[in-house]
Amino acid sequence: MAGFSFRLSILSEGRYDAQMVTIHDIARETGVSPNTVARILGGRRGRPYNEGKVLKAARRLGYVRNLQASNLRSGRSGLIGLLVPDIRNPQHTEFFQLLQDAANPMGFQILLFSSGGRMRQELHALQRMEQSRVDGLILNASEGETDEGCDEILQRFLTRKTPVVLAGRPERTIRADEIVIDNHAGMRNMVRYLAKTGRTKIAFVCGDRQSLATRERHEACLATVKKLKLEARTEWSQFGEYTPESGAQQTARLLQMNPRPDAIVAGNDLLAAGALRVLLDAGVMVPDDVAVTGFDDIPLASLVSPRLTTLRQPREKIAREVMELLQERITTRSVDAPKKLHYEPELVVRQSA
Amino acid sequence: MAGFSFRLSILSEGRYDAQMVTIHDIARETGVSPNTVARILGGRRGRPYNEGKVLKAARRLGYVRNLQASNLRSGRSGLIGLLVPDIRNPQHTEFFQLLQDAANPMGFQILLFSSGGRMRQELHALQRMEQSRVDGLILNASEGETDEGCDEILQRFLTRKTPVVLAGRPERTIRADEIVIDNHAGMRNMVRYLAKTGRTKIAFVCGDRQSLATRERHEACLATVKKLKLEARTEWSQFGEYTPESGAQQTARLLQMNPRPDAIVAGNDLLAAGALRVLLDAGVMVPDDVAVTGFDDIPLASLVSPRLTTLRQPREKIAREVMELLQERITTRSVDAPKKLHYEPELVVRQSA
DNA sequence: GTGAAAGCGCTAACAC
DNA sequence: GTGTTAGCGCTTTCAC
């Protein structure tokens, strides 16, 4: 007992305030050294004789390892930061769940930040990740311009050999791993499919103008329209943000036009759902009068009526491969030779087109 | 310089491996003590003379505070644990976002765990929260039975005066704060509304039998049906889980029955969306032939066709008040006199009923 | 307001 | 395999 303070301190009210049990308490209790306790509780072996004693004492005293101390000393954190523009977009929610399921067995926890597309929030999130010493991080596209301060922080991560994975962000100064969705191939297939099924006047309901996904998807559509020599009008390209409300607004504008488009290609499923909403409310038949297509294939796509024809992102594969890459980089402490993980969206034909 | 190791260590490849800058580096650089550096960087004041020097040096050297060390010493973590059964349910996603928006300004971060309703995952999540020394935690209903180990951990949290908020969990041995949704009042209003609009044969599409929400909502429906002397049949009560797929399955079973119900009260919006799906596919008119209602009022409720009549949970209010309660408890270190936060769902009439 | 010293709880490094 | 020692980076305590 000598040299150790009491683990129970008496408060003024006369109640007891239970402190956390430490490896020293268990060491004292069992007569072995703190080191041995730590080793056994850390899963490495000791003398069976000691193992029994230690495990039993730990259980009896209600020992709970202090990750803060553990991580401080070992220089890890067991945390993977995930920054998304809006977790309320099911696409991101699904990705979080898949990432968590892949990360947990590897001993990692996901620290999620939903920035709401706000620049300041995004910067705060990165600062917090840095202060938390995340072992790796995944950055989803901000749905707008990106702050300069962000790049500075990202660069520091890489200098410290903390792996960074960028998704849907324009290539910039920093050389990090990237998730690359082949928006061009996806949209080309989509527009071709629409043309093949007789659509000639294709309109585009897009997310925010600044985002890379928006630009790539929109440009691919225009290029394909041009290549197929379909009708093209600048006012058939509408922009907003990746929400059902925006999709509804944009579609309402399209409905005013003359000639009216016979197909609406939306930048993602949320936009498409909003478009569907407005069309049905206006008595426009989908897909008879107007075809509607989405992007992502979130669960919602199968719940709206008619079911959405869309482009499926291989989320499971992405989540798995990203975590594998991160683990690899974290264990080898190498962030050199940035990798690009390529994925092609798959056309899923349902009812809306 | 004496007594301090170099912050740059040369690797075998001849490159530099930048270590993190510490308050000692800044202290050395500016000639003040580490204590003064910490105080100034911690936001408390110092001599303007020193403040300038320290802040500038910190910026120049790229200092990033180490939260692990800070938290280890101060006994806080700045983390609020949030455990939900399934983050893919938009109800939980929305709640996370609102909670994050309320927590961040208070200096807290949300550590999210999505258990998938699996008992083992839930236990793991609680263990991890305990090891991470979260300052408080919010437990959403597991959608099934709860493990004994969980209660043991929760009890330890409370003993240590770490506040715990339970939501939608049956009251048990532990005395923690609770979020109480008045399922009874909500469902009573819903059934009355259906009766008033001429429905007489009301069926119930529910989540899993074990969950408190399911039991309360179902019982409230049955009680109201009985009170209003409406037709009642045991086979009109179906159970499953809180997913669209389950809602679809349960509804398919109801469609086989004779007599067929003229209203379907679903346990949440996801179930209702699945029900809608099956009804429309079967050519049943909603709400003309069969009325459908949901619970939660997630964004999806306004996107399906017809729009869902549902019961809205005051999520914003709940998130705000829960964080206020947590902050209060964390600062006063008092978990005595558990509070019950009561909320009543609001009937939102749209098109489906 | 500032500096010196101690220590949060753990793991790493090294003898044995 | 085990014990000893040191120290991760910070905050706390206490003189001054």
Side-chain angles (χ1 to χ4, degrees), chain B residues 78-272:
Chain B
L79 252 32
I80 301 290
L82 173 65
L83 175 63
V84 299
D86 190 354
I87 192 62
R88 288 171 303 186
N89 179 342
Q91 165 70 6
H92 295 130
T93 315
E94 297 281 329
F95 188 64
F96 167 84
Q97 177 75 53
L98 291 166
L99 208 64
Q100 188 194 255
D101 292 346
N104 286 355
M106 300 179 179
F108 291 109
Q109 217 57 236
I110 307 294
L111 192 55
L112 172 65
F113 295 81
S114 176
S115 70
R118 290 156 296 188
M119 210 57 36
R120 283 196 46 165
Q121 291 274 357
E122 191 160 315
L123 191 60
H124 280 340
L126 286 176
Q127 287 171 343
R128 188 82 188 203
M129 288 190 200
E130 201 177 12
Q131 294 177 348
S132 300
R133 302 291 193 265
V134 295
D135 292 332
L137 68 160
I138 303 166
L139 249 68
N140 260 283
S142 80
E143 289 172 357
E145 287 285 342
T146 328
D147 193 74
E148 307 239 332
C150 292
D151 273 14
E152 187 186 323
I153 295 178
L154 291 182
Q155 190 50 63
R156 279 208 298 262
F157 271 118
L158 291 174
T159 307
R160 258 178 267 128
K161 301 196 178 300
T162 300
V164 174
V165 179
L166 264 31
R169 293 201 165 224
E171 273 192 69
R172 288 175 303 174
T173 45
I174 62 163
R175 293 181 67 243
D177 297 313
E178 279 188 77
I179 300 174
V180 181
I181 306 294
D182 196 337
N183 289 311
H184 191 83
M187 280 307 198
R188 188 178 51 218
N189 287 342
M190 184 60 91
V191 172
R192 278 186 181 158
Y193 167 76
L194 289 172
K196 206 167 56 188
T197 53
R199 311 290 169 174
T200 58
K201 297 191 284 293
I202 304 181
F204 308 104
V205 162
C206 307
D208 57 298
R209 280 199 135 89
Q210 296 86 359
S211 97
L212 182 66
T214 301
R215 287 207 315 273
E216 287 189 353
R217 291 172 194 181
H218 183 236
E219 281 163 17
C221 289
L222 288 190
T224 312
V225 160
K226 191 173 177 184
K227 186 156 188 181
L228 298 177
K229 298 197 171 63
L230 300 175
E231 203 170 334
R233 288 169 171 265
T234 50
E235 71 263 32
W236 285 350
S237 292
Q238 296 287 325
F239 296 87
E241 46 183 20
Y242 283 107
T243 62
E245 292 73 24
S246 177
Q249 280 175 21
Q250 295 181 50
T251 304
R253 290 200 290 270
L254 290 173
L255 279 180
Q256 308 289 328
M257 296 179 185
N258 193 348
R260 186 193 273 182
D262 60 6
I264 293 178
V265 172
N268 76 356
D269 289 345
L270 292 179
L271 286 165

Side-chain angles (χ1 to χ4, degrees), chain A residues 58-112:
Chain A
R59 173 119 203 92
R60 184 162 49 79
L61 298 179
Y63 171 80
V64 179
R65 177 207 211 138
N66 187 329
L67 278 183
Q68 306 190 147
S70 166
N71 292 335
L72 172 60
R73 183 60 239 239
S74 64
R76 306 178 340 97
S77 73
L79 251 33
I80 301 291
L82 173 64
L83 175 64
V84 299
D86 190 355
I87 191 62
R88 288 170 302 186
N89 180 341
Q91 165 71 4
H92 294 131
T93 315
E94 297 281 328
F95 189 64
F96 167 85
Q97 178 75 53
L98 291 165
L99 208 64
Q100 187 195 255
D101 292 346
N104 286 355
M106 299 178 178
F108 291 109
Q109 217 58 234
I110 307 294
L111 193 55
L112 172 66

Side-chain angles (χ1 to χ4, degrees), chain A residues 70-330:
Chain A
S70 166
N71 292 335
L72 172 60
R73 183 60 239 239
S74 64
R76 306 178 340 97
S77 73
L79 251 33
I80 301 291
L82 173 64
L83 175 64
V84 299
D86 190 355
I87 191 62
R88 288 170 302 186
N89 180 341
Q91 165 71 4
H92 294 131
T93 315
E94 297 281 328
F95 189 64
F96 167 85
Q97 178 75 53
L98 291 165
L99 208 64
Q100 187 195 255
D101 292 346
N104 286 355
M106 299 178 178
F108 291 109
Q109 217 58 234
I110 307 294
L111 193 55
L112 172 66
F113 296 82
S114 176
S115 70
R118 290 156 297 186
M119 211 57 37
R120 283 195 47 164
Q121 291 274 356
E122 192 161 313
L123 191 59
H124 280 341
L126 285 176
Q127 286 171 342
R128 187 81 186 204
M129 287 190 201
E130 201 177 13
Q131 295 176 348
S132 301
R133 302 292 193 267
V134 294
D135 293 332
L137 67 161
I138 303 166
L139 250 67
N140 261 282
S142 80
E143 289 172 358
E145 287 286 341
T146 328
D147 192 75
E148 305 239 334
C150 291
D151 272 14
E152 187 186 324
I153 296 178
L154 291 182
Q155 190 50 63
R156 278 209 299 262
F157 271 118
L158 291 173
T159 308
R160 257 178 268 128
K161 300 196 179 302
T162 300
V164 174
V165 179
L166 263 32
R169 294 201 164 224
E171 272 192 69
R172 288 174 302 172
T173 45
I174 63 163
R175 292 181 67 244
D177 298 313
E178 280 187 78
I179 299 174
V180 181
I181 305 295
D182 196 336
N183 287 312
H184 192 83
M187 279 307 198
R188 187 178 52 217
N189 288 342
M190 184 61 90
V191 172
R192 278 187 181 158
Y193 166 77
L194 289 172
K196 204 167 56 187
T197 53
R199 312 288 169 174
T200 57
K201 298 191 282 293
I202 304 181
F204 308 105
V205 162
C206 306
D208 58 298
R209 278 198 136 88
Q210 295 87 359
S211 98
L212 183 67
T214 301
R215 289 207 314 272
E216 286 189 353
R217 291 172 194 181
H218 182 236
E219 281 163 17
C221 288
L222 289 189
T224 312
V225 160
K226 191 173 177 185
K227 186 156 188 181
L228 297 178
K229 299 195 170 63
L230 300 175
E231 204 169 334
R233 287 168 171 265
T234 49
E235 71 264 29
W236 286 351
S237 292
Q238 297 286 324
F239 296 86
E241 45 184 18
Y242 284 107
T243 61
E245 293 73 24
S246 177
Q249 280 175 21
Q250 295 181 50
T251 304
R253 291 200 289 270
L254 290 173
L255 278 181
Q256 308 289 329
M257 295 178 185
N258 192 351
R260 185 192 274 181
D262 62 4
I264 292 177
V265 173
N268 76 356
D269 289 344
L270 292 179
L271 286 165
L276 228 45
R277 180 77 278 156
V278 165
L279 293 171
L280 299 183
D281 288 351
V284 177
M285 299 295 286
V286 178
D288 304 357
D289 301 337
V290 178
V292 173
T293 70
F295 203 113
D296 288 345
D297 194 23
I298 57 179
L300 167 66
S302 307
L303 291 174
V304 292
S305 300
R307 290 177 172 86
L308 276 179
T309 290
T310 189
L311 289 161
R312 174 181 299 157
Q313 298 211 36
R315 287 186 293 261
E316 295 79 1
K317 196 169 177 232
I318 300 176
R320 185 168 18 92
E321 293 182 357
V322 166
M323 272 314 304
E324 279 166 7
L325 175 59
L326 278 178
Q327 189 180 37
E328 158 85 13
R329 291 223 184 274
I330 289 168

Side-chain angles (χ1 to χ4, degrees), chain A residues 33 35-36 39 46-47 50 73:
Chain A
S33 78
N35 185 340
T36 299
R39 187 159 28 77
R47 295 208 175 102
N50 284 334
R73 183 60 239 239

